[in-house]
Amino acid sequence: MEAVQDLPPGTAPGLRTKSQLQRRRRILQAAAALASRGGVEAMQMRTVAERAGVALGTLYRYFPSKMDLVVAVVGEELDMLESSIARRPPAALTPDGRAVDVLMRATRGLMREPELADALIRALILADVELPFGDRMAGLLLRVAGLSEAAADEEQAVLAASLGAVWVQELLEMLRGRRTYEDIQRRIEIAASRLLADFPA
Amino acid sequence: MEAVQDLPPGTAPGLRTKSQLQRRRRILQAAAALASRGGVEAMQMRTVAERAGVALGTLYRYFPSKMDLVVAVVGEELDMLESSIARRPPAALTPDGRAVDVLMRATRGLMREPELADALIRALILADVELPFGDRMAGLLLRVAGLSEAAADEEQAVLAASLGAVWVQELLEMLRGRRTYEDIQRRIEIAASRLLADFPA
DNA sequence: ACCGAAGTTAGAACGGATTCTAGTAAGTGT
DNA sequence: ACACTTACTAGAATCCGTTCTAACTTCGGT
């Protein structure tokens, strides 16, 4: 449930050799592939290890718990979202419009692999991890709202984080089958228009 | 992970005899006691059964999964919050002030048993359950904000639910040790003042 | 008071995450 | 090249949620 990436494979440092980087990549890829089939259940540690071609013990050396593995997979998804946004930035004219744009783009991305999304979101919420979804998503929202993270005052940071929280909950409701894409859009728009109302255009 | 309380012990109906009600009570009490020690981990099904003086199989007849058990425990906590609010309604003059009052009262209640709170919140977020926290809390917020649930239009319902979502996330951050009580209060106030701004006084 | 259905019990059994062990391979410094 | 620390492997072992089994009890109807 915890365990900080200390020595072995911190996202950046700690990987000495090329083969270790490749092992890590293979593991993440196997994990994502399995999860996008049957969700967390299908993503069994033994299966991941087998499919990645490493021993179970090695898998646990790279990712001390299943949660750590899930978190790493999510990290990759977020990387993809961020680069997608860099490539094609939200075009809306208001800060809240841009925020909604980004959130709905993320929603569509996650909807494409519902099992994966379900597994990832839930795991994230559970994780004791530092800087999981919340913070990264809030930072992203601040940026698309037009503020560098450094320039935001506390109130703005709180509001951006709040919008992130609302989105996460809506996503969860969607995964439970209680929201459609359109529901989410409407609800996020309502919340965003209030929360980001007085952000500088 | 699912299983609706169908025949055996629905919160209200289905319990025929007095001894069944008492069994249910003993189980819930044992579960809460264990969870308020070591959290979910300490609340092992075998241990709960033992401490409640029932067989493991019986425990599973009453609560088809650990999650169902957790949800039931949370339900009781929410009952207590609601009756506390009925006894001493929030006194603030504005709708958002009253909402903050209720949320912070709930926060204090949960802080008293952090392990329990942690277990419960996380489990709830994960649960596939109908009408768990979110809805009940949102309804409660609507009511203290001064609207009967029936009278609220969709926008108001969304805003109340959003505030509930923000609160849940803040609670999670607190349980992760990343927020103090004062942090939460400040942040909830900020979010509430935006989200409930134009509610009728 | 008696019967069958439903509820309970003790305990074994199963599945998947995590841990542990002993031995083998790879990488580093001298 | 040699010694040594570190990484990896195969597999057994442990822990806990959940399921299953067979026998025992309790309850409602007669």
Side-chain angles (χ1 to χ4, degrees), chain A residues 6 41 62 76 80 93 105 110 119 121 135 182 189:
Chain A
D6 35 57
E41 300 129 44
Y62 279 70
E76 305 238 306
M80 287 173 50
L93 296 175
R105 212 191 289 183
L110 289 173
I121 304 273
D135 290 356
E182 287 72 25
E189 279 169 358

Side-chain angles (χ1 to χ4, degrees), chain B residues 27-43:
Chain B
I27 291 173
L28 285 174
Q29 180 185 321
L34 287 167
S36 59
R37 289 265 168 285
V40 231
E41 300 129 45
M43 178 178 146

Side-chain angles (χ1 to χ4, degrees), chain B:
Chain B
M1 265 291 219
E2 356 63 34
V4 194
Q5 319 267 87
D6 36 57
L7 307 161
T11 300
L15 282 305
R16 321 167 175 286
T17 77
K18 190 173 304 183
S19 66
Q20 284 178 312
L21 273 171
Q22 294 187 327
R23 258 194 212 96
R24 183 170 205 275
R25 220 180 293 294
R26 263 184 294 139
I27 291 173
L28 285 174
Q29 180 185 321
L34 287 167
S36 59
R37 289 265 168 285
V40 231
E41 300 129 45
M43 178 178 146
Q44 298 175 196
M45 295 304 264
R46 285 179 233 263
T47 318
V48 172
E50 191 180 331
R51 184 143 166 177
V54 303
L56 187 54
T58 304
L59 172 52
Y60 272 94
R61 166 184 281 275
Y62 279 70
F63 301 96
S65 78
K66 185 169 179 173
M67 189 73 83
D68 291 86
L69 180 51
V70 172
V71 169
V73 173
V74 177
E76 304 238 306
E77 300 279 318
L78 271 182
D79 290 344
M80 288 172 49
L81 175 62
E82 292 194 335
S83 71
S84 143
I85 285 166
R87 246 180 290 119
R88 196 162 45 80
L93 295 174
T94 59
D96 62 295
R98 289 192 292 278
V100 171
D101 182 340
V102 166
L103 291 177
M104 295 317 290
R105 211 191 289 183
T107 306
R108 281 192 297 279
L110 289 173
M111 279 175 60
R112 235 170 267 130
E113 304 273 14
E115 300 285 359
L116 179 63
D118 186 287
L120 301 189
I121 306 272
R122 294 186 188 221
L124 265 193
I125 290 184
L126 288 214
D128 266 330
V129 194
E130 300 305 310
L131 216 291
F133 231 24
D135 290 356
R136 247 182 106 175
M137 201 35 110
L140 189 52
L141 289 175
L142 271 181
R143 265 177 277 132
V144 303
L147 279 58
S148 83
E149 275 164 82
D153 62 27
E154 192 210 358
E155 183 154 339
Q156 292 167 326
V158 170
L159 292 169
S162 297
L163 183 56
V166 171
W167 176 68
V168 169
Q169 294 287 324
E170 292 295 331
L171 221 41
L172 277 174
E173 294 292 325
M174 181 180 81
L175 295 170
R176 285 177 186 135
R178 306 209 284 159
R179 298 268 193 282
T180 66
Y181 176 81
E182 287 73 27
D183 288 337
I184 296 191
Q185 170 135 21
R186 195 157 17 85
R187 298 173 65 98
I188 292 290
E189 279 169 357
I190 291 172
S193 71
R194 293 296 191 295
L195 289 171
L196 308 188
D198 44 4
F199 272 50

Side-chain angles (χ1 to χ4, degrees), chain A:
Chain A
M1 267 289 217
E2 354 65 33
V4 194
Q5 319 268 87
D6 35 57
L7 307 161
T11 300
L15 282 306
R16 319 167 176 288
T17 77
K18 190 173 304 182
S19 67
Q20 284 178 312
L21 273 171
Q22 295 186 329
R23 260 195 210 93
R24 182 168 206 276
R25 218 178 294 294
R26 263 185 294 140
I27 291 173
L28 285 175
Q29 181 184 322
L34 287 167
S36 60
R37 289 266 168 285
V40 231
E41 300 129 44
M43 178 178 145
Q44 299 175 194
M45 295 303 264
R46 283 180 234 263
T47 318
V48 172
E50 191 180 331
R51 184 142 166 178
V54 302
L56 186 55
T58 304
L59 172 53
Y60 272 94
R61 167 185 281 275
Y62 279 70
F63 300 96
S65 76
K66 184 169 179 172
M67 188 76 82
D68 291 85
L69 180 51
V70 171
V71 168
V73 173
V74 178
E76 305 238 306
E77 300 280 319
L78 272 183
D79 290 345
M80 287 173 50
L81 176 60
E82 292 194 335
S83 71
S84 143
I85 285 166
R87 246 181 290 119
R88 197 162 45 79
L93 296 175
T94 60
D96 63 292
R98 289 192 292 278
V100 171
D101 182 341
V102 166
L103 290 177
M104 295 317 291
R105 212 191 289 183
T107 304
R108 280 192 299 278
L110 289 173
M111 280 175 60
R112 233 169 270 128
E113 303 274 14
E115 301 285 358
L116 179 63
D118 186 287
L120 300 189
I121 304 273
R122 294 186 186 221
L124 266 192
I125 290 182
L126 288 214
D128 268 327
V129 195
E130 301 303 312
L131 216 289
F133 232 24
D135 290 356
R136 251 183 104 175
M137 204 33 114
L140 189 51
L141 289 175
L142 272 180
R143 263 177 280 134
V144 303
L147 279 57
S148 82
E149 274 163 81
D153 62 28
E154 192 209 357
E155 183 153 340
Q156 291 167 327
V158 170
L159 293 169
S162 297
L163 183 56
V166 172
W167 177 67
V168 169
Q169 294 287 325
E170 292 296 331
L171 221 41
L172 278 173
E173 294 292 327
M174 181 179 80
L175 294 170
R176 285 177 187 135
R178 301 170 54 194
R179 299 270 192 280
T180 65
Y181 176 82
E182 287 72 25
D183 290 336
I184 296 191
Q185 170 134 22
R186 195 156 15 83
R187 299 172 65 97
I188 292 288
E189 279 169 358
I190 291 173
S193 70
R194 295 295 191 294
L195 289 169
L196 307 188
D198 44 6
F199 272 49

